[in-house]
Amino acid sequence: MPPRRLLVTAALPYANGHIHLGHLVEYLQTDIWVRFQKLRGHNCRYFCADDTHGTAIMIRARQENRSEEELIAEMQAAHERDFAEFGIEFDNFGSTNSDENRALCAEIWQSIRDAGLVKEKDVEQLFDPEAGTFLADRFVRGTCPKCAATDQPGDNCSSCGTTYSPAELVDPQSTLSGATPEVRTAKHLFIELEQLHAFLDEWTQCGEHLQPEIANYLKGHFLGPTDKPEPLRDWDISRPAPYFGFEIPDSPGNYWYVWFDAPIGYIASTRQWCDKHGENLDDWWKSDDCEVHHFIGKDITYFHTLFWPGMLKTAGYSLPSKVHIHGFLTVDGEKMSKSKGTFVNARTYLDHLDPSYLRYFYASKLSSKVDDIDLSLDEFIAKVDKDLRGKFVNLASRSAKFVAKTGLSATYPKDEGLFDAASSAAAEIAQAYESCDYSKATRKIMALADSANAFVEANKPWELRKDPENEQRLQDVCTIALNLFRQLAIYLAPVLPKLAEQTGVLLGDPITHWDQAQTPLVGTPVAKFKHMIQKIEEKDVQKMIEESKETTPPTPASGELASADGNESANTTTLNDPWKDPGDPLAAEPLAEECTFDDFMKVDLRVARIVSAEHIEEARKLLKLQLSLGGGEYRQVFAGIKAAYDPEKLVGRLVVCVANLAPRKMKFGLSEGMVVASGPGGSEIYVLSPDEGAVPGQRVH
RNA sequence: GGUCCGGUAGCUCAGUUGGUUAGAGCAGGGAACUCAUAAUUCCUUGGUCGGGGGUUCGAGUCCCUCCCGGACUACCA
C-alpha cells in the first residue's frame, strides 16, 4: 500500500479549564491512531490548538485583572505540559488566537459571503450596563417565569426544568456585576445553513464519513426524511462587542462567535506547521490525496457534522474523510464528580500514576462506537496489573537475564509456529486499530501474550540453565520468548510508546515500523534487564482520588444560613459538625437572595394528607395526587415524583404542600399546589414529611 | 410521548452473510511451578443469550410484541 497522507485532529481544548481524565479519552484515542498510522509508514500529522475565544475567557480575564492574552498563554502552557507527559505528541499545537487563524477566518468568511449564505437579523439580548457587555445565557440569573424559583440560570430553570430565553426571567441579574440587565437589540449575522441542506444530507448519509448511529441521529433530528426534509435553522455566528475574539472585517463592532473560528483553528494549526516545515497547505486541505480525520466527543457532533462540513464545502476546502465520535467518560459508573474525587485532573493523575496505565486502560475499553466508557477503578487496577505487568512485561522480565551474556541466537530457532502465528495476526490487529476498535486490538495482543507465556512455561529456561549441556537450548528458548515479546511491543507501540522505546533499548533495535513484527531479531546483544513498569498500587489510586476531592463547601455569601423557622442562625464554620456533608447540593443551587419575613409569609405552606395517588401513564415524571387539608378541603396536585415514589405507598402519608400557589393548567389537568421536596430530580427526590403529631391543615411557620 | 442505541457467565465484553455442544479475559474453586515485579501455567465452577410469539430443517443472530436500561427530543413540575 502506498503511504497515505493523513491529517488528524482532536477537538480543541477550551482555554478556560485544565485537562482532565475525560478530555484524555479523546487525546489518547487520537494519539494512538496517529502513532499507529505513523508506525505503518504513513504520512500522518496530528494537529490541535487551544480554543481561546469567547465570553467566558473575557470575563475570567477581567476577574483576574489581567489580559486575555496572558490568561490563555498560561493555560496553553499548562495544557501542553499535561499532554506531553501523557505521551500525546502533536505535530503542531497552535491557538485560535493566532494570525494564521484570523487570516483563514477572513478568507472562509468571504467565501461564505460570496456564496450568499449570510443574512442579518436583529436579536434581542440582555445587556449589562455596568459591565458594558452583552450577556450570554449563563451569565444571567433570575426568577423563573414559570415556577418562580429564584436565582435560576438564564436558559433553563434548575428547579422546574422550563427552558426560556434570559429576557423572560423575572428580576434578572447579571452575574458579572449584579446589575439589572436591560434588553437591547443588536444586529447579528447568520449563516443560512438550509441552503446547504441537500449537500449535508448527501454527505452525512452516504455511509462513509460518520458512524452509522451518528448519521441516523442527524437524519432523525435535523435533516428529516428525504421526501420531507425539515429546514435547518440559521446559525448565529456573530457577537457584538465587547467580545474576546476576531472582529468581522466587513461588519465592524461584531465578532465571530467562538464556534466559527474554533474549527478553523484546525486549518490554522496546519498552516503553522506547514510554514515551519516548508509544506504547502493546499496539499493538506485542498487535495484529494489527503484524508482529513477529526476525533471529537458526542457533545459537539452538531458543529462538526453540519456546520463544519458546510463551511469547508463553501470555502473550497477538503471535507472530512471521517469524523470519529466517542462517548463520555464515567468513573465507577457515574458522571465524574468533584465531591467524590472522580473528577481527576491530568496533573493530579500524573502526580500519582504512570501515564502508561491510563493509555492501556483506555485502549482496552475503546471501540468505534459512540458508547460512553467507564473507568472502574477496581477494573483499572486489575487490568493494568494483570495485562501489562503480568502478561506482557513479565515475558521480558522472565527471559532477558538468561541471555544477557550471550545475546540472541544466531538463527531463529524452531518455535512451534508461534512467531509466524503472531506475525500473521498483524493484519487483523492493524485493521482493529484502523477502525478505532482498540479493545479488539488489545484483546488479540493479550491472547498472543498468553501463548508466549505458555511457551516459556513449557520450556522452563530456569531448569535449562542448571545444566551447561543445555546452553544452546536455553539461548534458543529465550530468543523465542524475547522475539514474541518484541512482536507484542511493536503491536502495542501506538498505545505504549514508552514501553516500545524501552524494548528497543533492551534488544538494541529501536521499534520504528509495524513490519518489524514480521522478521525475528537474531544474533544481537541483550541489555541488562531493567524494570519496565512499576506495579500499580491501589493506595496511589486512592491518593489520587482523595486529592481530587473538593471538600470545602462553598461558604454562603452572607455567612448565615437561615433555619426553617426563621429565628435561628448558625455560623457554619464554628460548629462541631461530625457529618461533614459535602457541598455540592449547595454549589449546584446557590442560596437565593435574601427575603423578608413578609416575603416568606406570602407562601402558605400547609400540612396535607395524600388521600389518593395515581400514575398517569402518558406522563414520564408526574403523579396525580389528591391532598386533603382537612375539613373537606382538597387540592389536586401533579407532582413530578413518579420516578421516586410508588403511588400506593404515598397514600395516607402526611406531606407539606404549597397551598396558595396559583393554579396551573397542565397537560393532564389543573394543578392546585405543590408538594415540597428536595433532591436533584429523577429518582433522587425526597418528599418532606412533618414529624408525628402534625395534622392536615396546620400551617408551616 | 417521539426518535435512536443497548440487554450474552458475578464483572468487562466477543460472537462474522442464520449452521455442530454459545466463547474470551477478569473474578471464584482446585492443582502445578518457583525464571519473573507474589508474576506464570494447567484444570475447573458458572449462561432458559431480557420475556413471549413467529419465520426456518436450524435463531444469540431475521420478523413481531412486551419488559428493562441509556442517549437525545418534547410536554411538564
Side-chain angles (χ1 to χ4, degrees):
Chain A
M1 180 170 33
R4 290 149 74 189
R5 186 188 285 267
L6 298 160
L7 189 153
V8 183
T9 72
L12 312 188
Y14 198 49
N16 201 26
H18 286 288
I19 302 301
H20 56 66
L21 297 190
H23 290 116
L24 287 169
V25 171
E26 176 169 317
Y27 298 101
L28 289 175
Q29 180 188 39
T30 314
D31 188 66
I32 290 167
W33 203 77
V34 168
R35 284 179 183 272
F36 165 72
Q37 300 296 355
K38 287 179 174 173
L39 193 63
R40 300 270 282 170
H42 297 305
N43 188 4
C44 178
R45 304 293 158 184
Y46 186 6
F47 298 123
C48 198
D50 256 18
D51 179 16
T52 57
H53 291 154
T55 317
I57 295 290
M58 181 175 79
I59 301 301
R60 185 172 145 196
R62 267 191 212 179
Q63 281 167 349
E64 296 176 4
N65 206 12
R66 55 176 169 167
S67 70
E68 287 94 347
E69 286 77 6
E70 193 184 329
L71 169 63
I72 65 177
E74 181 188 297
M75 291 304 290
Q76 176 150 354
H79 287 176
E80 291 194 51
R81 269 199 306 276
D82 290 346
F83 287 139
E85 285 183 50
F86 269 96
I88 297 162
E89 266 182 13
F90 299 108
D91 286 277
N92 192 69
F93 193 91
S95 164
T96 57
N97 195 46
S98 66
D99 294 341
E100 292 87 352
N101 202 37
R102 184 190 292 271
L104 282 158
C105 285
E107 178 208 315
I108 291 171
W109 176 246
Q110 193 57 52
S111 306
I112 295 170
R113 278 269 198 206
D114 293 346
L117 297 180
V118 179
K119 78 172 173 198
E120 265 184 26
K121 278 197 283 192
D122 283 342
V123 169
E124 280 194 346
Q125 212 183 347
L126 290 180
F127 182 85
D128 181 332
E130 266 178 50
T133 175
F134 282 93
L135 296 165
D137 294 359
R138 65 179 175 286
F139 293 112
V140 184
R141 296 185 82 90
T143 301
C144 171
K146 285 258 168 87
C147 78
T150 54
D151 198 31
Q152 294 306 313
D155 48 358
N156 67 81
C157 175
S158 67
S159 165
C160 75
T162 309
T163 54
Y164 40 71
S165 85
E168 293 173 58
L169 280 173
V170 181
D171 299 330
Q173 251 198 337
S174 163
T175 60
L176 304 182
S177 64
T180 303
E182 44 198 68
V183 177
R184 286 204 190 172
T185 302
K187 286 214 183 309
H188 281 229
L189 298 164
F190 290 77
I191 294 180
E192 287 187 307
L193 207 60
E194 178 55 20
Q195 292 192 37
L196 300 169
H197 197 124
F199 156 71
L200 289 171
D201 201 30
E202 207 282 323
W203 187 82
T204 59
Q205 301 302 314
C206 77
E208 288 171 33
H209 311 302
L210 301 173
Q211 288 129 297
E213 57 264 50
I214 296 293
N216 227 332
Y217 160 77
L218 294 174
K219 185 153 198 70
H221 287 278
F222 305 111
L223 296 162
T226 320
D227 53 331
K228 215 181 76 191
E230 290 161 32
L232 290 159
R233 275 181 244 157
D234 296 338
W235 183 32
D236 182 355
I237 56 86
S238 77
R239 294 291 180 273
Y243 189 79
F244 181 55
F246 294 138
E247 192 166 19
I248 303 176
D250 55 12
S251 183
N254 286 314
Y255 289 72
W256 284 304
Y257 175 48
V258 57
W259 261 110
F260 179 83
D261 73 55
I264 295 174
Y266 297 142
I267 307 181
S269 187
T270 313
R271 160 149 281 165
Q272 282 184 343
W273 178 82
C274 286
D275 291 348
K276 269 183 235 162
H277 293 84
E279 293 261 346
N280 181 3
L281 186 72
D282 287 357
D283 290 343
W284 294 89
W285 276 103
K286 291 187 176 178
S287 161
D288 289 342
D289 295 331
C290 182
E291 301 171 33
V292 175
H293 291 262
H294 296 303
F295 286 79
I296 61 163
K298 63 182 180 184
D299 50 329
I300 53 177
T301 295
Y302 192 66
F303 294 101
H304 282 81
T305 57
L306 297 175
F307 293 148
W308 180 233
M311 287 165 69
L312 290 169
K313 166 83 173 166
T314 307
Y317 283 82
S318 298
L319 290 158
S321 302
K322 183 128 192 178
V323 182
H324 306 259
I325 302 178
H326 62 81
F328 297 145
L329 178 72
T330 55
V331 179
D332 280 338
E334 293 177 11
K335 259 170 72 174
M336 299 193 295
S337 141
K338 286 188 177 171
S339 65
K340 288 186 179 152
T342 53
F343 193 103
V344 180
N345 276 334
R347 180 52 44 189
T348 316
Y349 178 100
L350 289 166
D351 287 343
H352 297 279
L353 296 165
D354 185 336
S356 296
Y357 302 159
L358 195 70
R359 292 186 68 107
Y360 179 75
F361 185 78
Y362 280 174
S364 78
K365 297 296 260 185
L366 280 165
S367 74
S368 57
K369 306 237 180 79
V370 190
D371 301 346
D372 292 350
I373 69 168
D374 184 46
L375 170 63
S376 147
L377 297 172
D378 290 342
E379 192 190 349
F380 173 63
I381 295 166
K383 187 159 219 152
V384 164
D385 200 44
K386 201 76 191 165
D387 287 3
L388 278 192
R389 191 171 65 110
K391 290 184 178 180
F392 172 54
V393 173
N394 188 40
L395 263 176
S397 163
R398 69 194 306 203
S399 53
K401 75 170 187 184
F402 297 133
V403 283
K405 292 207 178 85
T406 62
L408 299 179
S409 302
T411 54
Y412 190 72
K414 279 181 78 98
D415 71 350
E416 303 155 30
L418 285 169
F419 189 89
D420 285 349
S423 60
S424 52
E428 201 184 357
I429 296 169
Q431 182 50 46
Y433 274 120
E434 176 70 36
S435 58
C436 293
D437 199 349
Y438 306 161
S439 67
K440 186 173 183 179
T442 53
R443 228 176 19 250
K444 298 277 172 207
I445 295 167
M446 282 307 139
L448 296 175
D450 284 342
S451 43
N453 271 307
F455 170 83
V456 175
E457 196 73 22
N459 287 277
K460 304 185 179 14
W462 55 93
E463 281 188 5
L464 293 173
R465 70 162 176 170
K466 289 176 184 164
D467 186 349
E469 290 262 306
N470 293 326
E471 199 181 314
Q472 184 57 50
R473 182 59 191 154
L474 174 65
Q475 190 190 21
D476 285 353
V477 166
C478 294
T479 297
I480 292 165
L482 286 171
N483 266 291
L484 297 177
F485 167 72
R486 177 167 167 268
Q487 283 179 312
L488 303 179
I490 294 165
Y491 295 151
L492 284 171
V495 180
L496 302 169
K498 214 174 123 206
L499 276 152
E501 203 179 308
Q502 289 167 312
T503 303
V505 171
L506 178 73
L507 301 178
D509 187 63
I511 291 172
T512 56
H513 201 284
W514 184 261
D515 291 341
Q516 285 173 293
Q518 299 298 312
T519 317
L521 209 55
V522 287
T524 58
V526 175
K528 184 166 164 27
F529 182 77
K530 283 189 248 167
H531 278 190
M532 291 179 153
I533 197 157
Q534 296 304 310
K535 178 173 166 58
I536 181 168
E537 298 286 351
E538 191 178 345
K539 66 176 165 49
D540 292 329
V541 175
Q542 290 307 332
K543 270 196 255 172
M544 174 184 82
I545 297 295
E546 280 306 312
E547 205 169 289
S548 299
K549 279 185 186 167
E550 261 187 20
T551 43
T552 355
T555 323
S558 65
E560 285 187 347
L561 287 169
S563 66
D565 58 7
N567 58 17
E568 293 228 339
S569 69
N571 187 319
T572 48
T573 54
T574 58
L575 273 180
N576 174 21
D577 170 9
W579 293 276
K580 304 257 184 297
D581 291 319
D584 5 41
L586 201 50
E589 193 173 350
L591 286 184
E593 70 181 288
E594 186 175 283
C595 75
T596 65
F597 182 71
D598 289 342
D599 289 338
F600 170 66
M601 287 304 286
K602 281 187 197 161
V603 180
D604 193 343
L605 297 172
R606 296 283 170 160
V607 174
R609 189 183 300 281
I610 299 176
V611 293
S612 83
E614 53 191 273
H615 268 299
I616 305 168
E617 283 310 318
E618 317 89 272
R620 201 183 63 182
K621 295 183 181 176
L622 299 179
L623 291 182
K624 182 175 173 181
L625 308 177
Q626 294 292 344
L627 304 180
S628 164
L629 296 176
E633 184 77 17
Y634 296 100
R635 293 277 190 283
Q636 170 173 279
V637 169
F638 291 89
I641 58 173
K642 184 173 185 170
Y645 289 91
D646 247 347
E648 302 89 62
K649 292 185 182 152
L650 285 171
V651 175
R653 78 173 266 187
L654 295 179
V655 295
V656 176
C657 83
V658 184
N660 64 338
L661 191 68
R664 171 164 290 275
K665 191 169 176 312
M666 296 175 54
K667 189 172 173 185
F668 314 106
L670 194 67
S671 188
E672 303 167 314
M674 282 173 72
V675 170
V676 301
S678 72
S683 59
E684 286 188 73
I685 297 174
Y686 310 99
V687 171
L688 268 59
S689 313
D691 273 351
E692 190 119 12
V695 293
Q698 286 176 339
R699 183 159 188 188
V700 179
H701 293 109

